[in-house]
Amino acid sequence: MKLLILPGDGIGPEITAATLRVLEAASARFDLGLSFESREIGLAALKEHGTTLPDGILERARELDGVILGPLDQLRYPPADKGGLNPSAMFRVKLDLYANVRPARSRAGLGRPMDLVIMRECTEGFYPDRNMHQGSGEFMPVPGVALSVRKITAHACERIARRAFELSGKRKKLVTAVHKANVFRVTDGLYLDSVRAVAREFADVKLEEEIVDAMAAKLVRHPERYDVVLATNMYADILSDLASELSGSLGLAGSILAGEALCAAQAQHGSAPDIAGKDKANPTSLILSAAMLLEWIGEKRKLAACGEAGQAIDRAVDKVLAKRETRTADLGGKLGTRAFGEAVAAAL
Ligand code: NAD
């Protein structure tokens, strides 16, 4: 099995190195025969190739068994016509990695008691780099007036809703569909109609609906009562940072971008330029994302060892996080990025 490794910007190279150390240990223990092929994207690729997403990377992703996608510092990218493409958006749209699965579970006594998964649609919505066939979803008709277009389709809403109900059927059997149909009557109305239609296929899973602003408050008030939280792109993006911080830290939040045939592990957080290159970043988020990737491959291809390796990484992370002294600095611990990766590999 070969994974495409794209370390990305900022803390990306450091957390990716720590994650590969853990994957090597998992491969040895579970006899997965994992190998890695590394390529540059982001600011390093811009310097070398004049673009943040060099030709051939997406095609290579299609050929290999999975992707480790590091964080990207899009804020520092030049405009698209000067090479500043957003690789995250390109992976999601061009490879149709439409389901961004973002768990928020308390670990090792950190954060609030909770265990939920945000199911985020990530190929449309308000994001201007992924909702137009040509051109951008944001534009300025006259100086001082800026417009943004939001795309919602029944197709995208139905398939992400199906993933949410399937997942919840294996968990606590409650899907909370987040919306703002009181204001976005047409777009969020279409989303809600699509979700309700899919809900009828899953008689054993309860559907409840929450308006997004109230959901933010209720999530803080009772995070433990939620199971699978389903939302369109931007609501889910915001709520998932809130949820993962409530569960302990944004640095603990694993995440995958899953399509039908391909999956990429991508941490929930960004490139953290403020701590880049200092061996200070917490690699847990990417390590747990890689564990989710192995579980996804295991389930899709009926490879039991792969799924077990993913679960074992998850348990190893909990074991290392259990002691304060073996945590990283963001959680009050003493370990650097590299040492934390070594500790998880040893725990495996
Ligand atoms: P950020 O998530 O990079 O950082 C927010 C804060 O959390 C910072 O203080 C940072 O030091 C801290 N932090 C983040 N990850 C951490 C980790 N693993 N360990 C310890 N501390 C961590 O958000 P930002 O600073 O607003 O954005 C920086 C860049 O990242 C921007 O260019 C943004 O566009 C990009 N971004 C990329 C992604 C992605 O590639 N998936 C996601 C979000 C933001």
Side-chain angles (χ1 to χ4, degrees), residues 85-333:
L85 299 171
N86 178 1
S88 281
M90 302 296 273
F91 266 84
R92 292 166 195 197
V93 175
K94 303 274 185 210
L95 301 179
D96 206 20
L97 305 182
Y98 62 90
N100 188 192
V101 188
R102 294 184 154 185
R105 172 166 77 77
S106 332
R107 291 174 179 274
L110 293 162
R112 305 267 298 275
M114 60 193 285
D115 179 7
L116 63 80
V117 180
I118 304 235
M119 186 63 77
R120 170 191 181 202
E121 204 295 324
C122 65
T123 59
E124 56 178 34
F126 259 128
Y127 290 61
D129 54 7
R130 64 200 77 167
N131 62 12
M132 290 279 153
H133 173 63
Q134 206 170 11
S136 165
E138 270 196 321
F139 43 94
M140 192 172 276
V142 290
V145 179
L147 302 177
S148 187
V149 173
R150 176 174 183 238
K151 175 180 159 194
I152 296 292
T153 64
H155 168 68
C157 294
E158 280 167 21
R159 66 179 179 172
I160 196 72
R162 207 159 274 122
R163 298 294 88 77
F165 279 93
E166 282 166 3
L167 179 63
S168 189
K170 295 182 218 154
R171 294 170 44 97
K172 294 183 270 178
K173 300 186 172 37
L174 172 66
V175 170
T176 306
V178 178
H179 66 93
K180 199 163 174 75
N182 50 331
V183 177
F184 292 98
R185 287 182 172 267
V186 179
T187 44
D188 275 351
L190 176 60
Y191 157 81
L192 275 185
D193 286 345
S194 308
V195 173
R196 289 172 190 154
V198 170
R200 288 195 278 277
E201 298 167 20
F202 296 85
D204 60 331
V205 180
K206 186 176 170 218
L207 169 65
E208 64 177 13
E209 297 170 7
E210 285 291 355
I211 296 177
V212 62
D213 32 350
M215 183 66 190
K218 289 183 180 180
L219 200 49
V220 173
R221 206 180 290 159
H222 289 299
E224 73 289 346
R225 76 169 291 285
Y226 296 100
D227 179 24
V228 175
V229 177
L230 168 66
T232 51
N233 204 345
M234 197 162 72
Y235 304 153
D237 199 5
I238 296 167
L239 289 177
S240 58
D241 272 32
L242 174 63
S244 55
E245 192 66 22
L246 279 175
S247 77
S249 163
L250 183 54
L252 297 176
S255 146
I256 50 170
L257 304 169
E260 298 301 338
L262 182 69
C263 180
Q266 189 185 39
Q268 276 191 41
H269 56 74
S271 60
D274 50 337
I275 54 167
K278 296 180 180 163
D279 196 38
K280 273 189 177 170
N282 184 351
T284 302
S285 180
L286 192 59
I287 291 171
L288 291 174
S289 305
M292 290 173 71
L293 170 63
L294 290 183
E295 287 191 54
W296 185 92
I297 295 173
E299 195 175 317
K300 277 276 168 192
R301 302 218 196 136
K302 311 265 178 287
L303 295 172
C306 214
E308 281 163 24
Q311 288 163 15
I313 292 175
D314 201 278
R315 286 195 301 273
V317 166
D318 279 353
K319 199 169 169 189
V320 176
L321 286 176
K323 291 192 202 118
R324 191 186 168 101
E325 61 271 21
T326 54
R327 295 175 188 160
T328 43
D330 56 316
L331 298 174

